[in-house]
Amino acid sequence: MAAPPSGKVLYEQDGVFIHPSCGKNDDQDNFISGVLRVIEKDSSSVVEWTPVPKEKSSRGADRPNNYEAEWDMVTTVSFKKKPHSNGDATNHTNGESTWSFLFSLTDLKSIKQNKEGMGWSYLVFCLKDDVKLPALHFHHGDSKLFIKCLENHVVLRESPQDKLILLVNSQNKSLSQSFENLLDEPSYGLLQKWKKDPYTVTMGRFSKVTNYIFDSFRLSDPSTQRRPPSEMADFLNDAIPGLKINQQEEPGFEVITRIDLGEQPEVSRREPVSIEEWTKNMDSEGRILNVDYIKQSIFKGGLCHTLRKEAWKFLLGYFPWNSTKEERANLQKRKTDEYFRMKLQWKSVSEEQEKRNSRLRDYRSLIEKDVNRTDRTNKFYEGEDNPGLILLHDILMTYCMYDFDLGYVQGMSDLLSPVLYVMENEVDAFWCFVSYMDQMHQNFEEQMQGMKTQLIQLSTLLRLLDSGFCSYLESQDSGYLYFCFRWLLIRFKREFSFQDILRLWEVMWTELPCQNFHLLLCCAILESEKQQIMEKQYGFNEILKHINELSMKIDVEYILCKAEAISMQMMNCKELPQAVSEILGIESSSVTPDSDTGEDESGAVLSCPTSSYQNISTPVIAANGTRESTQQMSETQSLAPA
């Protein structure tokens, strides 16, 4: 018997059958009886069909005219058809069917009905990726009641080409829901679910369709719980279409293993950039004199807190680096007017109007829920009726007007919170957030293209850095690095303390020393944990638990040093693979060594303009706590070879 559904049941009907034999077998013993439900889960609704034990099922008396294809396995996103020599479309484990499915109404594209009077009424669901589910036959009637229930949640209209097909117009809530599950699951509860069923729970975090449960992934024999890495990779590829990881050995992929990167250089960091240092680098009209110097100084040491309110506007692209003080003041005036015009758009929507705008209503509901639990331990947001919470809410609602197609997705409040905390101004915070979202937009799009790309790139970098560690992770079904998903989605926001995130983000915003420095930060964290993971022979669940428990325990300065050292290590590699060069934004070149200076040959240079650190003479803090000039460390700390 299936577990009781989680959420509010809006519709429930038994006697809904799947006929898996495609009309090849008239034996009604092959019909699979189940229960069809519509369940409300937070702000989204899902359709679920689960089988019931055969002895409890009831079969109709007549044979239907059915046509549907054979189905063998239902995965989180796609449905796989496998050949069967005996024509039977279902697998059985201990005599029970493996059939069941669940999908979000936001992923439903159309519903096909049969003609009245043509046997039992049936419905065929087609999802937005053009996957068709097996037909559901209503042996007890009542398919019209089901359609009426759906009309409370989606708009249905007849297809102009076929009046038996109902086209669905629904809103994009599923991605928000999957992010909500990913971001808000308490670590202990999530661990318990992993232990019970690590595969379906884990993949559910990635899928735009909430989850599909099938018995073939719930085998009770402990010896079958370990699934081969190749099968797990295939499973993940189904969960996130287009995600190809651990395929460097396949034709067309560049082999990047067993390349000697040499020793990681020692790296130190300097003190934060002060207001005095910042001011000295401005001319009389307020222009930044040496942008490269400022960016490099911020990369090496960050900013003192009092300077962040001004400097972040430059780092995020709100203020042009070459602008004067007067030009920036005029820009702020224009942007203030533009902001309040957009804010008025949603502020002026009446309750009656909002009742007819389900999308805006859903955005507001998600925002209100998230705002009330975002950084509430921070004094800026703590307590009831906090003005910081009101600003957080208003900025996110206004962003929905700015980018209504994307609107609001779970996790975006995490990106806004530190920006608003630093700006202490609604308008400036909004436009800085807009600039940040321009960088992060693909992370939150429905197809998750940004997340797919980053996971693939991270796998490529980690394999170059330590192929042995990659192989170990693969042997424990963890080679796809999905446990880094939250790191990438919201740029480590839940992994470091609030103050450390301010430092980490401003360093990343300099876009130094290379592209995708945040992926090298992931590599630095994973390499730091490699010894414990491998020496203690952590398995799948232990790796999950260990990585999850790193939150708020990572030393930000150490990780920044290590990530910079990795970047130097890779950029100084003479045989850097092309795939890695492209990820880091490095151009391959042949540099002839200078025989007089004794400098080493290098195979990589930055494709973007950079200045070497030897021109920066401000004091730095070395690993041993001593102060020294960067001129004394130029050989080991320059971003690119001389």
Side-chain angles (χ1 to χ4, degrees), residues 244-384:
K244 304 293 182 184
I245 293 181
N246 305 329
Q247 296 190 10
Q248 286 81 0
E249 303 296 335
E250 294 294 326
F253 285 81
E254 183 178 11
V255 178
I256 62 172
T257 57
R258 305 178 186 87
I259 293 178
D260 183 12
L261 293 176
E263 295 294 323
Q264 285 183 11
E266 292 292 329
V267 172
S268 301
R269 292 185 55 76
R270 53 156 282 170
E271 294 176 340
V273 177
S274 65
I275 294 179
E276 181 183 9
E277 187 177 357
W278 176 269
T279 305
K280 283 182 177 180
N281 201 48
M282 278 188 173
D283 66 14
S284 58
E285 293 184 322
R287 292 187 187 87
I288 304 294
L289 294 172
N290 190 335
V291 176
D292 286 345
Y293 168 84
I294 288 294
K295 284 186 176 181
Q296 291 163 2
S297 299
I298 296 171
F299 174 76
K300 292 296 295 183
L303 296 157
C304 68
H305 186 68
T306 52
L307 184 55
R308 283 176 172 141
K309 186 179 295 187
E310 181 175 2
W312 276 26
K313 297 183 181 78
F314 290 90
L315 289 170
L316 284 167
Y318 178 31
F319 286 171
W321 284 99
N322 61 350
S323 61
T324 65
K325 187 174 182 180
E326 182 180 358
E327 289 169 343
R328 295 192 290 271
N330 291 333
L331 175 66
Q332 283 181 299
K333 288 180 182 178
R334 294 196 306 272
K335 291 297 186 181
T336 298
D337 291 341
E338 187 176 350
Y339 173 78
F340 283 109
R341 282 198 300 270
M342 288 187 291
K343 183 174 182 178
L344 185 61
Q345 290 175 1
W346 65 266
K347 279 280 192 180
S348 59
V349 173
S350 67
E351 290 185 11
E352 288 299 316
Q353 285 178 300
E354 191 163 318
K355 287 179 181 178
R356 297 186 294 272
N357 191 333
S358 61
R359 202 168 180 184
L360 180 62
R361 193 168 63 245
D362 292 340
Y363 288 157
R364 186 193 296 272
S365 175
L366 274 174
I367 289 170
E368 289 175 351
K369 182 168 62 175
D370 281 3
V371 162
N372 286 325
R373 57 189 181 187
T374 299
D375 292 322
R376 297 305 302 274
T377 58
N378 188 302
K379 289 185 178 180
F380 191 79
Y381 298 109
E382 70 180 3
E384 298 299 324

Side-chain angles (χ1 to χ4, degrees), residues 70-75 78-82 234-235 238:
E70 293 178 291
W71 295 94
D72 169 58
M73 182 191 298
V74 185
T75 69
S78 61
F79 298 81
K80 295 182 177 178
K81 177 184 175 184
K82 295 185 179 179
D234 289 341
F235 191 18
D238 289 336

